[in-house]
Amino acid sequence: MQSNCGTSEVLALAATLEEMKLYGKDYAQTTCLHAKYLANLLDSSGLSVAGKQFGFTETHQVWVTIGTEQQAWQACAKLHNAGIRVYPASLPFVNSWGLRLGTNAMTRLGFSTNEIKKVGQWMVDILLNNVEPEKVFKDVQSLMQEFSIKDVHFTFKS
């Protein structure tokens, strides 16, 4: 038998709940706005983004349809080689494999639509314009150096 009083989990949960009480609404709204912005940008650039008929998304998620499972994994690998983290997924409602994108981490780091536009353009360059991911990697690194994990947004100020 094992017992765990879980005090570390309780403290983390308490801090998270307090943080969300103070900043949760603004964080959620900004995250969703960023997702809509990214989805519109990708769609208008020629990628197939699921949900256009209802405004693409009402959450932090954007689904880019790719095709087969293998094609989705290949697209994922290209973006990962550029330093852009996405996840391949069997997308519900569209009967296709694609990429699941999320804007919550970018929002938390303090990205504005200017930075999200850069990320979206890099994705288009790699997936549609056949730009080598390694050529984009340095730009991604440079952008990320501007946003310290020590200065996340929608959190307590130190």
Side-chain angles (χ1 to χ4, degrees), residues 21-156:
K21 179 179 169 186
L22 295 172
Y23 305 107
K25 185 176 181 179
D26 289 339
Y27 170 60
Q29 287 176 338
T30 304
T31 300
C32 293
L33 287 172
H34 285 165
K36 281 191 176 291
Y37 180 82
L38 180 60
N40 276 295
L41 175 78
L42 296 175
D43 181 74
S44 66
S45 296
L47 286 169
S48 176
V49 181
K52 186 173 186 173
Q53 68 274 18
F54 60 83
F56 298 109
T57 186
E58 294 297 321
T59 71
H60 68 287
Q61 290 186 33
V62 176
W63 297 344
V64 178
T65 58
I66 298 294
T68 67
E69 181 178 3
Q70 182 180 9
Q71 290 169 323
W73 279 101
Q74 289 170 343
C76 177
K78 285 181 180 181
L79 293 172
H80 277 225
N81 287 337
I84 300 171
R85 299 292 174 243
V86 300
Y87 298 95
S90 175
L91 301 177
F93 310 111
V94 294
N95 297 320
S96 178
W97 274 80
L99 302 174
R100 180 192 169 279
L101 316 177
T103 57
N104 46 343
M106 293 186 288
T107 302
R108 191 90 160 147
L109 284 173
F111 279 28
S112 70
T113 54
N114 293 328
E115 290 80 27
I116 291 172
K117 183 177 183 177
K118 289 178 186 179
V119 173
Q121 186 58 57
W122 292 329
M123 292 178 68
V124 168
D125 287 345
I126 292 166
L127 297 176
L128 291 181
N129 301 330
N130 297 312
V131 172
E132 291 295 321
E134 295 75 19
K135 291 183 179 178
V136 174
F137 183 75
K138 289 182 181 181
D139 292 330
V140 172
Q141 279 186 319
S142 178
L143 176 65
M144 291 308 298
Q145 287 177 359
E146 297 176 32
F147 294 89
S148 171
I149 192 71
K150 296 177 183 175
D151 189 32
V152 295
H153 291 237
F154 303 103
T155 191
F156 304 122

